[in-house]
Amino acid sequence: MFRKLKGFRDMYPEKMRARREVFERINSTARGFGFHEIDAPSVELLELFRVKSGDEIVKQTFSFVDKGGREITLIPELTPTVARMLASRKDLVKPVKWFSFPKMWRYEEPQSGRLREFYQFNADIFGIAGIEADAEVLALAMEILDSLGLEGKYVMRVSDRILMEELLKKFGVSRVEETFRVIDKKDKIPEDVFMENLQSAAGDAAEKIIDVLNVKGSVGDVISKIGESSRGEILIKLQDLLDGYGKKITLDLSIVRGLAYYSGIVFEAHDAKGEFRAILGGGRYDNVVQLFGGEHTPAVGFGMGDAVLELIMKREGVWPEERMEVDAFVAVVPGFRKEATQIAMNLRKEGFRVDIDLTGRSLGKQLKYANRINAKYAIIVGEEVRNGKVVVKDMETGEQRTVGIGKLKEIINEN
RNA sequence: GCCGGGAUAGGGUAGGGGCUAUCCUGGGGGACUGUGGAUCCCCUGACCCGGGUUCAAAUCCCGGUCCCGGCCCCA
């Protein structure tokens, strides 16, 4: 027996159906926000990922040399590809609003919520420097989670690199990058070690920084506690815009994320119980597109992997039932296969999901099968068909009746 | 890349140097070719892989693989 590769998943029909339902809801929410779906290659030149992320990231790719001697990799993220696509099309009408839900690969050790192959939903807006785009993207992220039944089960934590830099300068910190790096580690190391690191990076400002990091809450509350600033005004405007969408964020300046390239707000959605990794993350990255040869293009977006999402949806009991499903199963009585097939085909053309017996086994066995595939109705095609009638059995209740073939569509639609 | 815990039919499990490896469930067939979820019968099907210790290994030891979780990293 062959084994599965580490960190990869087999997807059987029951689970696939549930996942398809979730993915569809996510995609249709994005479409509802006026985003347009794109797709892209699953492999790119490895070099593409060095541009933005450097060698550390390249170590964690599934890469290989192709037959032409090129260094190729399965994509570990979508942003460089999207930037490349954007750079080679100067006729795009702005704002560009794109989403995609591709598979991605990262060569890492699997653990909770992390695999080597996964799907990641991505949505981005290009060409808008104003906070309106940040609001639209944040609102989409939250609406997606809400529409999946997670309303109130997660917290959208937002920070802002510009505000943080303003504050650090105000506190007299000179080594800003290093200080960010220390802050990023805050929750992963013991408190005393964190304090030590922070003092070595930020010196006397450490105490003030701690105060800022510990203030978490609504935008208004946090800004009033840390003091007025031009950037604070913009964040207040962000929440004001989000009020129009009916969404609330939490300002939490301890969120750092992707030190390398975010240039404005950054955000992460976490499950409210704090049990899992971030469900999604994103922010503004105005300086990235030009790295890939495009014009300087304002950009804001987020990515959301399917693994953590599934964990939290299951814990909250909102993950769809994992079971196969068809609308009807056509049971065939010996001698009536042709009529049965015609009935099945007519229903299939109406858009119903219809299975039909292929075995010629006993009616009892056929119904047992119908039961196993969760058919809503069994349609028994036998003698009655000579008079244009069939027996329809509701597999849930067991009720059955003899009806004209023309009535089938209506009956199946009832459910 | 590193660390901890696991691995017995398709799924869930019992056993823990020696007899035909336990039970539940599933799958196929039959009782029953015009009625499923019930019952009974038959069939199917497993000790992760490789090496070592031993008269004898599913069991003990070593290595690998995969699974679960943690570290690093998290784009």
Side-chain angles (χ1 to χ4, degrees), chain A residues 325-341:
Chain A
E325 234 174 44
V326 293
D327 296 310
F329 173 79
V330 176
V332 183
V333 171
F336 297 95
R337 177 161 300 277
K338 195 166 203 170
E339 294 84 343
T341 305

Side-chain angles (χ1 to χ4, degrees), chain A residues 281-295:
Chain A
R284 179 166 281 280
Y285 53 102
D286 290 348
N287 303 317
V288 171
V289 174
Q290 64 190 348
L291 292 178
F292 296 91
E295 305 277 307

Side-chain angles (χ1 to χ4, degrees), chain A residues 22 46 51 70 84 91 100-101 159 184 187 213 217 228 232 240 246 312 394:
Chain A
V22 169
L46 186 57
V51 172
R70 284 170 285 259
R84 178 177 62 70
D91 59 322
S100 189
F101 212 149
S159 181
D184 192 30
D187 292 333
L213 296 182
E228 300 285 311
D240 192 48
I312 178 172
D394 182 322

Side-chain angles (χ1 to χ4, degrees), chain A residues 22-211:
Chain A
V22 169
F23 282 24
E24 240 339 285
R25 207 169 307 158
I26 293 168
N27 286 338
S28 88
T29 304
R31 278 185 217 106
F33 271 63
F35 283 71
H36 304 282
E37 185 166 16
I38 59 165
D39 197 14
S42 297
V43 289
E44 292 276 8
L45 286 176
L46 186 57
E47 196 52 34
L48 183 69
F49 297 94
R50 284 212 181 88
V51 172
K52 166 171 156 265
S53 307
D55 282 331
E56 179 61 34
I57 293 308
V58 163
K59 272 187 228 155
Q60 293 173 33
T61 58
F62 266 94
S63 50
F64 54 96
V65 176
D66 78 358
K67 290 178 183 176
R70 284 170 285 259
E71 275 195 298
I72 297 289
T73 186
L74 291 167
I75 59 166
E77 60 166 327
L78 197 66
T79 305
T81 299
V82 171
R84 178 177 62 70
M85 287 170 70
L86 211 60
S88 55
R89 271 283 297 273
K90 308 212 177 198
D91 59 322
L92 297 166
V93 62
K94 303 282 171 64
V96 171
K97 298 171 78 177
W98 283 351
F99 78 94
S100 189
F101 212 149
K103 251 185 192 178
M104 293 177 192
W105 298 265
R106 295 178 186 176
Y107 200 92
E108 303 182 286
E109 285 308 310
Q111 49 197 276
S112 178
R114 180 200 269 184
L115 298 154
R116 287 187 170 185
E117 179 182 64
F118 54 94
Y119 287 87
Q120 189 180 79
F121 175 82
N122 291 264
D124 299 275
I125 299 178
F126 298 97
I128 305 284
I131 197 80
E132 288 80 2
D134 305 62
E136 174 94 343
V137 162
L138 269 168
L140 172 62
M142 286 187 272
E143 182 58 26
I144 285 172
L145 297 180
D146 291 349
S147 77
L148 294 172
L150 292 174
E151 195 167 355
K153 312 290 190 192
Y154 70 92
V155 189
M156 183 62 79
R157 292 151 77 182
V158 179
S159 181
D160 182 56
R161 294 212 48 176
I162 298 173
L163 178 65
M164 271 310 274
E165 277 174 35
E166 265 182 20
L167 287 170
L168 293 182
K169 276 180 197 143
K170 199 169 102 187
F171 297 158
V173 175
S174 53
R175 289 181 290 176
V176 172
E177 277 300 311
E178 192 186 338
T179 306
F180 270 122
R181 236 186 303 279
V182 172
I183 293 170
D184 192 30
K185 293 281 176 290
K186 181 171 181 288
D187 292 333
K188 291 175 183 169
I189 55 180
E191 222 175 305
D192 50 326
V193 178
F194 171 67
M195 200 55 211
E196 229 170 85
N197 294 347
L198 190 60
Q199 270 162 353
S200 87
D204 298 340
E207 291 289 339
K208 288 179 192 163
I209 294 172
I210 297 272
D211 288 344

Side-chain angles (χ1 to χ4, degrees), chain A residues 386-398:
Chain A
R386 294 189 202 283
N387 302 318
K389 291 179 188 297
V390 291
V391 174
V392 181
K393 186 180 180 83
D394 182 322
M395 294 299 287
E396 194 79 24
T397 64

